[in-house]
């Protein structure tokens, strides 16, 4: 639990990670390409491995929220 407090949303860029994940969900198939590019970027960045995992988790949180909004919009639009 202590690691999550240290490495999730630890700086201002963390919000951008979540926003990028949220926006990439709307790209559907290309969103997976954005995810792979983001993972490569994070691995190459010189950070502690736990901080890298925290950044990826922040991205995935945004991605999951984006997919939830997409499903909700589809249900509202098609019903």
């Amino acid at each position: 639990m202590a690691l999550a407090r240290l490495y999730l949303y630890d700086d201002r860029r963390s919000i951008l990670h979540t926003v990028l994940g949220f926006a990439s969900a709307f790209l559907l198939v290309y969103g997976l390409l954005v995810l792979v590019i983001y993972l490569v970027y994070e691995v190459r960045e010189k950070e502690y491995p736990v901080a890298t995992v925290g950044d990826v988790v922040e991205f995935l949180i945004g991605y999951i929220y984006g997919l939830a909004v997409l499903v909700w919009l589809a249900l509202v639009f098609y019903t």
Side-chain angles (χ1 to χ4, degrees), residues 20-31 62-63 65-67 69-70 73:
L20 179 65
F22 184 84
S24 67
F26 288 90
L27 298 175
L28 299 176
V29 177
Y30 298 111
Y63 191 78
Y65 277 127
L67 288 177
V69 168
L70 261 175
L73 287 172

Side-chain angles (χ1 to χ4, degrees), residues 28-74:
L28 299 176
V29 177
Y30 298 111
L32 296 176
L33 180 66
V34 172
L35 174 62
V36 170
I37 292 170
Y38 181 76
L39 286 174
V40 169
Y41 165 75
E42 283 295 328
V43 168
R44 293 182 60 125
E45 194 175 29
K46 304 295 182 206
E47 280 187 329
Y48 292 114
V50 179
T52 301
V53 170
D55 292 343
V56 172
V57 168
E58 293 162 358
F59 180 89
L60 290 175
I61 288 171
Y63 191 78
I64 290 169
Y65 277 127
L67 288 177
V69 168
L70 261 175
V71 168
W72 178 75
L73 287 172

